[in-house]
Amino acid sequence: MRRPQRLRECVQSLAKQTFREFELALFGFLQRFQPQKIVVLTDGGSEERIRQSRAGLDSIGLEATYLNFAENDFYVALLRRDVSFFETVADLLYSQIATAEPHQIFCDAIEFYNPVHDITLPLVLRAADANPQATLFEVPLFIRPWRRVSTTRFSEFQLHLRRVVFVII
């Protein structure tokens, strides 16, 4: 892994790769806390998105485990009510969490914005049985002005910086 670059260079690089705003925010968080493990559930819609993700993470000295599910397969499984598909995803995620033994797990919050992002929390809740002592944090992707936002900052939490798992769609 290469040594992390300065944040400005990383953000400029990611911006050229057409990352969304919430991905830039997540990128900054990942750069700051350098989690022990990052698990990416889907291809983000294309192989190009995986390539962009790898390049971005590499630029800050991080790697991810890609479970290589096509994002479209999540939509199809939701429409078909294919519980076995989601059990398979949760089982793979369970093994990742069991191996990492994290103190904290971060995943997308349910926001009723994107059903594929919203399904992340139930998957993580099932998989978190691999390490029931871990504290689970839901990370909102969008903060709407009409929602009350907590004033608690991540810096106020005592994070075990290397014992963290991020689960990303």
Side-chain angles (χ1 to χ4, degrees):
M1 287 187 280
R2 293 192 334 241
R3 187 165 189 256
Q5 301 173 14
R6 293 185 325 198
L7 182 58
R8 173 177 280 171
E9 293 167 353
C10 294
V11 169
Q12 289 171 345
S13 171
L14 284 173
K16 290 177 188 173
Q17 297 173 18
T18 66
F19 276 72
R20 298 174 198 109
E21 291 84 2
F22 70 85
E23 290 168 319
L24 289 174
L26 178 61
F27 178 78
F29 192 82
L30 293 174
Q31 182 182 35
R32 179 173 181 189
F33 290 104
Q34 298 283 307
Q36 164 193 9
K37 185 164 201 69
I38 300 169
V39 180
V40 180
L41 300 179
T42 74
D43 64 1
S46 70
E47 288 294 319
E48 176 64 13
R49 295 285 287 155
I50 290 176
R51 189 194 65 70
Q52 291 171 346
S53 171
R54 286 188 176 158
L57 290 172
D58 184 56
S59 73
I60 58 171
L62 294 174
E63 295 177 351
T65 299
Y66 293 84
L67 298 186
N68 296 321
F69 288 98
E71 185 172 338
N72 191 57
D73 290 348
F74 277 74
Y75 291 107
V76 170
L78 283 168
L79 290 172
R80 292 185 179 161
R81 298 179 184 168
D82 184 356
V83 174
S84 65
F85 172 81
F86 294 106
E87 289 174 335
T88 299
V89 175
D91 289 345
L92 288 171
L93 192 52
Y94 179 98
S95 66
Q96 295 295 320
I97 291 171
T99 302
E101 298 179 343
H103 293 286
Q104 290 96 14
I105 301 170
F106 291 78
C107 74
D108 293 351
I110 294 176
E111 298 184 283
F112 303 106
Y113 174 79
N114 179 315
V116 176
H117 286 273
D118 290 347
I119 201 70
T120 306
L121 179 61
L123 291 170
V124 170
L125 285 171
R126 178 172 171 162
D129 286 343
N131 189 1
Q133 297 81 18
T135 303
L136 177 61
F137 293 93
E138 296 178 62
V139 180
L141 300 179
F142 298 95
I143 298 177
R144 297 171 186 90
W146 50 265
R147 283 176 98 175
R148 182 168 180 87
V149 179
S150 170
T151 57
T152 303
R153 297 181 185 152
F154 280 115
S155 61
E156 294 172 10
F157 290 105
Q158 184 179 8
L159 296 178
H160 302 276
L161 301 181
R162 292 290 179 182
R163 300 299 299 261
V164 174
V165 170
F166 277 85
V167 179
I168 304 169
I169 281 288

